[in-house]
Amino acid sequence: MRRQRVVPMGLSLVSVLAGVALLRALGAPADVFALVVAMLVGLVSSLLVTVAWQISVHMSVAGGTVMILLLVFGPAVLPAAAVAAAVGWSRLALRAHTPAQLLAGTALGGTAALTFALLS
């Protein structure tokens, strides 16, 4: 299962790297650049973990999204965490991941989102 992820994630990495280069070259706003770099950090981190262990990329994205929304808009967007929780529940219900894989994905996404705070 993990091996199936490497090629699409690798191609995504090339795409996001090209996007980062274009954003820099075209003078994108700092927040937009920071957001895409945070996405890149999350993607690279997920790819590195995926080589050895199946982390939940769905929860990585959900956790990172909630963290960035909280950083930008504050506690008013806390209900977005319910959407992330629903994603986690669905991954468990489908038996696609273990609770540890969900928690690790959420933590990875939230941590990668801190890149946004550092760059914006």
Side-chain angles (χ1 to χ4, degrees), residues 53-74:
W53 188 56
Q54 185 175 331
I55 195 168
S56 175
V57 177
H58 285 87
M59 287 309 298
S60 180
V61 171
T65 300
V66 170
M67 177 63 84
I68 288 173
L69 288 171
L70 285 169
L71 289 168
V72 173
F73 299 109

Side-chain angles (χ1 to χ4, degrees), residues 19-66:
V20 167
L22 281 171
L23 288 171
R24 180 57 82 192
L26 298 173
D31 285 348
V32 172
F33 182 77
L35 179 61
V36 177
V37 171
M39 289 170 44
L40 178 62
V41 168
L43 179 61
V44 168
S45 301
S46 295
L47 183 56
L48 291 172
V49 173
T50 291
V51 172
W53 188 56
Q54 185 175 331
I55 195 168
S56 175
V57 177
H58 285 87
M59 287 309 298
S60 180
V61 171
T65 300
V66 170

Side-chain angles (χ1 to χ4, degrees), residues 77-118:
V77 296
L78 204 49
V83 175
V87 170
W89 174 82
S90 72
R91 303 309 291 161
L92 276 177
L94 293 170
R95 293 188 169 90
H97 292 288
T98 65
Q101 292 167 336
L102 295 174
L103 291 172
T106 304
L108 187 145
T111 303
L114 294 177
T115 305
F116 173 81
L118 294 172

